[in-house]
Amino acid sequence: MEIKIENSWKEALEKEFSMPYFPILKQKILAEKAKGKRIFPPGNLIFNAFNLTPLPSVKVVILGQDPYHGFGQAHGLCFSVPAGVAPPPSLKNIFNELRNDLGLPVPLHGNLENWAKQGVLLLNASLTVNEAEANSHAAFGWQIFTDTVIKCISEKNSGVVFLLWGKFAAQKETLIDKQKHHVLKAGHPSPLSVTLFRGCKHFSKTNELLQQQGKSTIDWKL
């Protein structure tokens, strides 16, 4: 797994790539491949979220748990799928909340790259997964890396809006300096907990918080 990552992130995370756990993480992924496992997303998209959203441009962070594990779904952005791939249930519920919150039409595709390019870091806690095996890489060491990413954003940026959906994401609140940043929490948009997500109005609230700081708001329309 060759590390190809946008320069601002490469500079900020350079020490992390040389930490003892990182080569072990790489070895674990290669071992899965050696067993014949198919790994998602493809290698060139593992750091897609970072490449589309440089560190200085991060205004919003949405945190997912791990990539989609169905063929063709994962492309390195949490909750997002490439155009032409049917939006999974959680993403459909996100779109329903967008419609209810902002009156936006439900998109015809599930590709969230437009959000990423506006400063929304779509970060999964684990950046890889085996096909058809949810959370299969959760213990590989990715969370050491992505926890560092969250702490890095908290330290280097200001006024970032962190959207933490579900119990897993909410645990990451301790990594964030709430004197400098904003944390919005709700249930996970999964069908299992959507009643705790529905009505959160996080999209309009995010734009209100950005506007109060004189930052450009996010155009959530896809």
Side-chain angles (χ1 to χ4, degrees):
M1 183 177 64
E2 186 180 354
I3 307 301
K4 290 186 177 179
I5 193 168
E6 188 272 336
N7 284 337
S8 65
W9 286 112
K10 187 174 184 179
E11 183 178 341
L13 300 171
E14 190 171 9
K15 291 180 181 177
E16 212 62 22
F17 295 126
S18 60
M19 294 288 282
Y21 79 88
F22 208 87
I24 295 171
L25 165 61
K26 180 179 177 181
Q27 289 167 11
K28 288 178 178 177
I29 294 172
L30 292 174
E32 292 298 291
K33 286 185 176 181
K35 294 177 193 173
K37 301 280 188 179
R38 184 180 278 167
I39 310 295
F40 297 142
N44 65 316
L45 294 176
I46 290 173
F47 296 102
N48 196 23
F50 302 90
N51 294 332
L52 289 175
T53 314
L55 176 57
S57 74
V58 174
K59 296 188 290 188
V60 181
V61 176
I62 299 178
L63 186 67
Q65 194 159 355
D66 74 327
Y68 294 125
H69 52 79
F71 181 79
Q73 291 181 309
H75 66 142
L77 306 175
C78 75
F79 294 108
S80 179
V81 291
V85 176
S90 291
L91 185 54
K92 287 182 179 178
N93 287 331
I94 290 170
F95 289 160
N96 286 335
E97 180 61 24
L98 266 175
R99 180 188 59 199
N100 295 334
D101 184 9
L102 297 173
L104 295 178
V106 173
L108 299 175
H109 64 85
N111 190 332
L112 306 182
E113 286 184 4
N114 185 51
W115 295 0
K117 292 173 182 176
Q118 295 179 73
V120 181
L121 182 68
L122 297 165
L123 179 67
N124 276 313
S126 295
L127 299 187
T128 55
V129 70
N130 287 348
E131 182 176 20
E133 296 178 33
N135 288 318
S136 48
H137 295 191
F140 281 17
W142 275 127
Q143 290 190 45
I144 303 172
F145 178 75
T146 53
D147 281 0
T148 301
V149 169
I150 295 169
K151 288 186 279 189
C152 179
I153 296 167
S154 181
E155 179 186 336
K156 294 183 179 295
N157 292 20
S158 61
V160 174
V161 183
F162 289 84
L163 305 183
L164 306 182
W165 297 338
K167 291 179 181 178
F168 175 83
Q171 294 171 0
K172 305 297 182 179
E173 185 177 9
T174 59
L175 305 173
I176 301 162
D177 181 351
K178 287 183 284 184
Q179 301 299 314
K180 292 174 61 183
H181 304 285
H182 307 277
V183 175
L184 301 179
K185 293 185 288 185
H188 194 279
S190 157
L192 297 174
S193 55
V194 68
T195 55
L196 300 174
F197 174 76
R198 192 178 294 134
C200 68
K201 297 189 180 297
H202 277 187
F203 304 102
S204 59
K205 289 177 180 177
T206 293
N207 277 349
E208 287 170 12
L209 290 167
L210 294 175
Q211 197 167 34
Q212 287 168 13
Q213 300 174 70
K215 295 182 179 182
S216 57
T217 56
I218 306 299
D219 179 1
W220 296 107
K221 187 175 180 180
L222 295 174

